[in-house]
Amino acid sequence: MQAEIITIGDEILIGQIVDTNSAWMSKELNAIGISVNRITSISDTKEAIVTSVEEAMSRVDLILITGGLGPTNDDITKKTLSDYFACELVQDDQLYGKIEERLARYKIGMNAFNREQALIPHGARIIPNHFGTAPCMWFSRDNKHVISMPGVPFEMKNIMQTELLTRLSSEFHCPHVLHQTVMVQGLGESVLAEMLQDWEANLPSVVKLAYLPSPGVVRLRMSLVGDDEAELKAIIKQQLEALKAILGERIFAFDDEKIEQVIANLLLDKKKTVSTAESCTGGNMAHMLTAMAGCSAYFKGAVVAYSNEVKGNVLGVNPNDLEEFGAVSQQVVEQMATGACKVIGSDYAIATSGIAGPDGGTDAKPVGTVWIAVASAEKVISEKFIFSKERGRNIRMASQAGFNMLRKLILNE
Amino acid sequence: MQAEIITIGDEILIGQIVDTNSAWMSKELNAIGISVNRITSISDTKEAIVTSVEEAMSRVDLILITGGLGPTNDDITKKTLSDYFACELVQDDQLYGKIEERLARYKIGMNAFNREQALIPHGARIIPNHFGTAPCMWFSRDNKHVISMPGVPFEMKNIMQTELLTRLSSEFHCPHVLHQTVMVQGLGESVLAEMLQDWEANLPSVVKLAYLPSPGVVRLRMSLVGDDEAELKAIIKQQLEALKAILGERIFAFDDEKIEQVIANLLLDKKKTVSTAESCTGGNMAHMLTAMAGCSAYFKGAVVAYSNEVKGNVLGVNPNDLEEFGAVSQQVVEQMATGACKVIGSDYAIATSGIAGPDGGTDAKPVGTVWIAVASAEKVISEKFIFSKERGRNIRMASQAGFNMLRKLILNE
């Protein structure tokens, strides 16, 4: 099964936003055995929409579209596709009610824009959008399928994950595609590739391997396509065992799980709590933990100690040590971690102190130098890292490394 | 002048990488008056390349291509385009020497792949690549121009910035393209559209308007194309005045500036500092502030007070008020803000307390309810918001709203 993606919006063509929807959709479609052979970004004009849809329909049977479904005048996708597929736009009372209710929460009445949002094309299949007002519309003609979704990433993702991907899988005959992700922490891509050289050379040809690096983490992905699902699963199992033997503790998850989710599960399992004391990571670890629903069960709080006064006054770091060893030191980061456990009242704490850059580096402590400590009631473990020259990357890598140190501390207790 | 962009590579179509080249190129081309009317991503096959180049040539006179110029077997762009434009591939001695020298640095000899890298299409214009071995190739036929560049972002950017953009400007007669962005905080897209209905209806036809919403913020963008730059600028100036009269303080910036950058500039300007006391935003405001280089000049620290103990013990919130009014209340959030000023020692503080969701809502305080306070030495201002049902969105919207309240507090002092 082959598909094409069309993303609509002048903001893409003038470079104001990067189209991240396509990559996400391609990955998800590939995972259910639908390959994407072209991605096209076009402007919000009727002509561009009709032309590109017609062209795509001449090449493939399935076209997924995002964008141009907002309530304002520049959004013309619904009208254009409904005209093209000769579907009359009619009011959907349920959608009307939902929009009305939504607006009522903000004490706003319906206006003409909102009333237009409640129109849906008669004859198209409609998949609800739980996070917004623009529904997903599935138009079909002569076994060609054109599916239009909102361009807002989290709305599109929710529509695909909750309903569309399942419907696509069942509607079209797709071969079995299995993906197995292995999350590896603390190794660069090329070092990892070297460690896996022999293993990779002996992989069965049905296994396609990809290295997907992000700051501090490499996702290894094995992809297998075939008709015999049991056979594919057996191959994955065997290769996972081989990988575990080579990488050991460096593997922190076997799915696309984030390291903070691994931490959350460990803490929930042991009924323990954590706090963070962050200098160079600036609250990013707290933000990563609190981005997860239900985090109040294991996360108590954080102190972002950007200035030395906060390190001293709030976390109780000894001012003499700050003076003698500097803020970026083993002594200070360990006191930050034990101080956080005490001040915040948590079982564990992670502390970071480093030079995120771009300025502030010295010969002895260049940009990218980060001390990280993890503390429990019994012990404190600290480690010095030298990450990169780029600020955002240093913040992300230090956060990842801090969580990884806590993971090892908990697992080895 | 209209152009199209084609990006080549299977890694884009399987979602392994996000194509960021197109957005960057589009922005640069727009800035010299070349508008991009389509971006196409295709796979590394001869057929896909030839078909999409031919289609693009039927629509526009200029096509920029990236990708498929590497040394390995899957990279076929050079061969395919050279065949298509009937250019013989001949060895370029200077390029050969450069590749030889490059390999010598790593003590590697030339192999067949490297010798092929030194071939260039006879008859095409060649623009050197200072950061890599694949040069930029400019093919022309019947006033149609196809320019092929490497897909590695920093190589492509260097080629465009050092030579290609200048050559394009001088080769083609380009109209002036002006964009003006207006950043609006605290209004939904449809409410904003309604407020601007009359203004929008009376816009000169040369102005194209776009609404670009993200959580808590709508970016309004006016785009104008014409020959008389002064005239376009005058129109923008006039329309900006009209917008200011309608939206007033809701406009927080006139470029693509983020609100935390606006806050940073205000604080730097007044030599003041800020801290945050975050419950439902969980450290996201601290993270947004510390993501900016140089933030230690105005950001002192934060307390993420997720549990009530931290609100009481660290920030000094009165336990009776926590008991009587609950954590999500005006009383508590105001004490969190004044407490942060005192504990962290900052001139200003922003505090948040709310129900980010998905659980924890009640009839009186549904998911999305957030109290935000901003404090200075002289006063505390607080406001209650009801955002959305989605956790990540509530965190982002509350952070935006908090910064916006601080912006107003500082501006009105």
Side-chain angles (χ1 to χ4, degrees):
Chain A
M1 181 76 189
Q2 295 216 313
E4 291 198 14
I5 293 172
I6 298 174
T7 60
I8 300 175
D10 290 342
E11 64 276 19
I12 300 171
L13 296 177
I14 66 159
Q16 189 155 11
I17 65 159
V18 171
D19 165 29
T20 55
N21 280 351
S22 300
W24 188 90
M25 292 162 73
S26 299
K27 207 181 284 176
E28 295 296 318
L29 290 170
N30 263 279
I32 59 164
I34 296 173
S35 61
V36 174
N37 70 358
R38 192 188 278 232
I39 298 165
T40 311
S41 300
I42 55 167
S43 81
D44 298 282
T45 65
K46 190 178 165 177
E47 198 206 334
I49 297 173
V50 169
T51 310
S52 58
V53 166
E54 276 188 337
E55 286 169 6
M57 283 170 72
S58 74
R59 289 182 296 252
V60 296
D61 296 336
L62 174 64
I63 295 120
L64 275 80
I65 301 178
T66 65
L69 297 184
T72 50
N73 290 328
D74 57 329
D75 294 306
I76 58 165
T77 305
K78 179 162 73 179
K79 177 90 178 62
T80 304
L81 290 178
S82 299
D83 284 353
Y84 182 75
F85 284 97
C87 296
E88 195 192 345
L89 282 168
V90 293
Q91 182 174 308
D92 181 285
D93 291 336
Q94 212 183 331
L95 182 58
Y96 188 96
K98 185 179 154 188
I99 294 169
E100 206 171 31
E101 189 191 297
R102 229 182 145 82
L103 292 169
R105 287 175 74 195
Y106 305 101
K107 306 201 192 320
I108 303 170
M110 291 287 271
N111 66 20
F113 293 115
N114 305 127
R115 275 188 288 276
E116 222 161 277
Q117 283 182 285
L119 300 179
I120 57 166
H122 182 70
R125 279 182 268 184
I126 300 295
I127 297 176
N129 174 357
H130 300 295
F131 287 151
T133 46
C136 166
M137 301 170 288
W138 181 332
F139 301 91
S140 301
R141 178 195 289 167
D142 305 334
N143 288 321
K144 301 277 179 178
H145 304 272
V146 174
I147 300 172
S148 160
M149 287 182 285
V152 181
F154 79 92
E155 296 184 18
M156 176 278 289
K157 289 178 186 175
N158 182 263
I159 289 168
M160 284 193 66
Q161 283 170 329
T162 53
E163 202 163 333
L164 185 57
L165 286 167
T166 317
R167 286 225 211 168
L168 290 172
S169 291
S170 69
E171 181 114 0
F172 305 109
H173 171 71
C174 303
H176 288 288
V177 180
L178 291 186
H179 296 284
Q180 173 69 51
T181 303
V182 176
M183 306 291 287
V184 184
Q185 157 73 37
L187 290 174
E189 189 185 4
S190 61
V191 176
L192 180 62
E194 207 175 356
M195 284 178 77
L196 298 182
Q197 210 161 16
D198 290 344
W199 172 77
E200 203 179 328
N202 293 310
L203 271 180
S205 63
V206 69
V207 182
K208 234 186 140 177
L209 185 73
Y211 289 79
L212 308 165
S214 58
V217 174
V218 180
R219 284 150 64 205
L220 272 180
R221 197 193 55 220
M222 294 186 272
S223 302
L224 298 82
V225 183
D227 289 320
D228 185 344
E229 195 181 353
E231 194 191 317
L232 299 181
K233 280 188 172 164
I235 294 173
I236 284 182
K237 196 167 170 238
Q238 194 182 10
Q239 296 309 325
L240 274 183
E241 290 308 319
L243 266 181
K244 277 190 234 174
I246 302 168
L247 297 172
E249 245 188 3
R250 291 186 178 97
I251 299 175
F252 68 85
F254 289 101
D255 295 299
D256 237 330
E257 205 172 35
K258 292 175 176 164
I259 195 154
E260 61 268 31
Q261 187 62 58
V262 174
I263 292 293
N265 295 342
L266 281 172
L267 292 168
L268 281 171
D269 196 43
K270 295 192 183 282
K271 298 193 173 43
K272 299 278 188 184
T273 59
V274 70
S275 64
T276 64
E278 310 187 38
S279 184
C280 67
T281 49
N284 188 47
M285 288 194 293
H287 169 57
M288 287 167 77
L289 288 168
T290 55
M292 295 181 288
C295 64
S296 56
Y298 49 84
F299 177 69
K300 299 204 72 167
V303 174
V304 180
Y306 226 67
S307 72
N308 280 350
E309 299 104 283
V310 178
K311 291 185 184 81
N313 298 343
V314 184
L315 290 170
V317 175
N318 184 334
N320 295 334
D321 289 339
L322 270 166
E323 178 71 29
E324 187 178 345
F325 304 107
V328 181
S329 65
Q330 181 167 23
Q331 289 80 0
V332 168
V333 82
E334 292 194 351
Q335 290 175 42
M336 287 171 68
T338 50
C341 277
K342 221 169 76 184
V343 171
I344 297 178
S346 59
D347 300 307
Y348 298 102
I350 313 173
T352 60
S353 186
I355 297 144
D359 303 317
T362 62
D363 283 348
K365 293 176 186 174
V367 166
T369 305
V370 180
W371 269 101
I372 304 180
V374 287
S376 68
E378 286 78 34
K379 58 179 156 187
V380 191
I381 293 169
S382 54
E383 193 175 339
K384 182 179 151 182
F385 297 85
I386 295 178
F387 296 120
S388 80
K389 288 180 184 166
E390 203 261 312
R391 183 176 184 83
R393 205 173 160 83
N394 287 331
I395 293 172
R396 286 193 296 277
M397 290 179 89
S399 303
Q400 290 283 348
F403 286 130
N404 198 44
M405 284 174 67
L406 179 62
R407 181 178 69 89
K408 290 194 210 162
L409 177 70
I410 299 175
L411 287 176
N412 295 324
E413 256 183 0
Chain B
M1 181 76 189
Q2 295 215 313
E4 292 199 13
I5 292 173
I6 298 173
T7 60
I8 300 174
D10 289 341
E11 65 277 19
I12 299 171
L13 296 178
I14 64 163
Q16 189 158 3
I17 65 159
V18 171
D19 165 28
T20 56
N21 280 351
S22 300
W24 188 90
M25 290 163 75
S26 298
K27 207 182 281 179
E28 295 297 317
L29 290 170
N30 262 278
I32 61 165
I34 296 174
S35 59
V36 174
N37 70 358
R38 192 188 278 231
I39 298 166
T40 310
S41 299
I42 54 167
S43 80
D44 299 281
T45 66
K46 189 178 168 178
E47 197 206 333
I49 297 173
V50 169
T51 309
S52 58
V53 166
E54 275 187 338
E55 286 169 6
M57 282 169 74
S58 74
R59 290 182 295 253
V60 296
D61 297 336
L62 175 64
I63 296 122
L64 275 81
I65 301 178
T66 65
L69 297 183
T72 50
N73 290 327
D74 56 333
D75 294 306
I76 57 166
T77 305
K78 180 162 71 180
K79 177 92 177 61
T80 304
L81 290 178
S82 299
D83 284 354
Y84 182 76
F85 284 97
C87 295
E88 195 192 345
L89 281 168
V90 294
Q91 181 174 308
D92 181 285
D93 292 336
Q94 212 184 330
L95 183 55
Y96 189 95
K98 187 178 155 187
I99 295 170
E100 204 170 32
E101 190 190 295
R102 232 180 144 81
L103 291 169
R105 267 191 269 156
Y106 303 100
K107 306 200 191 318
I108 303 172
M110 291 286 270
N111 65 19
F113 291 118
N114 304 129
R115 275 188 289 276
E116 221 160 278
Q117 281 182 286
L119 302 179
I120 58 165
H122 182 72
R125 279 181 267 185
I126 301 296
I127 296 176
N129 174 358
H130 299 294
F131 288 152
T133 47
C136 166
M137 300 169 290
W138 182 331
F139 300 90
S140 301
R141 179 197 287 166
D142 304 334
N143 287 320
K144 301 277 178 179
H145 304 270
V146 174
I147 300 173
S148 161
M149 288 182 285
V152 181
F154 77 91
E155 296 184 20
M156 176 277 289
K157 288 178 187 175
N158 183 262
I159 289 167
M160 283 192 68
Q161 283 170 328
T162 54
E163 202 162 333
L164 185 57
L165 286 166
T166 317
R167 286 223 210 169
L168 290 171
S169 291
S170 68
E171 182 114 359
F172 305 110
H173 170 73
C174 303
H176 291 285
V177 181
L178 292 185
H179 297 287
Q180 173 69 51
T181 303
V182 177
M183 307 291 287
V184 184
Q185 158 73 36
L187 289 175
E189 190 184 3
S190 64
V191 176
L192 180 61
E194 204 178 2
M195 284 179 76
L196 298 182
Q197 209 161 13
D198 290 343
W199 171 76
E200 202 179 329
N202 293 311
L203 271 179
S205 62
V206 70
V207 181
K208 232 185 143 183
L209 185 72
Y211 290 78
L212 308 164
S214 57
V217 174
V218 179
R219 284 146 67 201
L220 270 180
R221 196 194 55 226
M222 295 186 270
S223 303
L224 299 81
V225 182
D227 289 319
D228 185 343
E229 194 181 355
E231 193 190 319
L232 298 182
K233 281 188 171 164
I235 294 173
I236 284 182
K237 196 167 170 237
Q238 194 182 12
Q239 296 309 325
L240 275 183
E241 291 308 319
L243 267 181
K244 278 190 234 175
I246 303 168
L247 297 172
E249 250 188 357
R250 292 185 178 97
I251 299 174
F252 67 86
F254 289 101
D255 295 298
D256 238 330
E257 205 171 35
K258 292 176 176 162
I259 195 155
E260 61 268 32
Q261 188 60 60
V262 174
I263 292 294
N265 294 343
L266 281 172
L267 292 169
L268 282 171
D269 195 44
K270 295 191 181 285
K271 297 192 173 43
K272 299 279 188 184
T273 60
V274 70
S275 65
T276 63
E278 310 187 39
S279 184
C280 66
T281 50
N284 188 47
M285 287 194 294
H287 169 57
M288 287 167 77
L289 288 168
T290 55
M292 294 181 289
C295 65
S296 57
Y298 49 84
F299 177 69
K300 300 206 71 169
V303 174
V304 181
Y306 226 67
S307 72
N308 280 350
E309 299 104 283
V310 178
K311 292 185 184 80
N313 298 343
V314 184
L315 290 171
V317 175
N318 184 334
N320 295 333
D321 289 340
L322 271 166
E323 179 71 29
E324 187 177 344
F325 304 107
V328 181
S329 65
Q330 181 167 23
Q331 289 80 358
V332 168
V333 82
E334 291 194 352
Q335 290 175 43
M336 286 171 67
T338 50
C341 278
K342 221 168 77 184
V343 171
I344 297 178
S346 59
D347 300 308
Y348 297 102
I350 313 172
T352 61
S353 187
I355 297 143
D359 302 318
T362 61
D363 283 349
K365 294 177 184 173
V367 166
T369 305
V370 180
W371 269 101
I372 304 180
V374 287
S376 67
E378 286 78 34
K379 58 179 158 187
V380 192
I381 293 169
S382 54
E383 193 175 341
K384 182 180 151 183
F385 297 86
I386 296 178
F387 296 121
S388 80
K389 287 180 186 168
E390 203 262 313
R391 184 175 183 84
R393 205 173 160 83
N394 286 331
I395 293 173
R396 287 192 296 278
M397 289 179 89
S399 303
Q400 290 282 349
F403 286 131
N404 198 44
M405 283 174 66
L406 180 62
R407 181 179 67 88
K408 290 194 210 163
L409 177 69
I410 298 175
L411 287 176
N412 293 324
E413 256 183 359

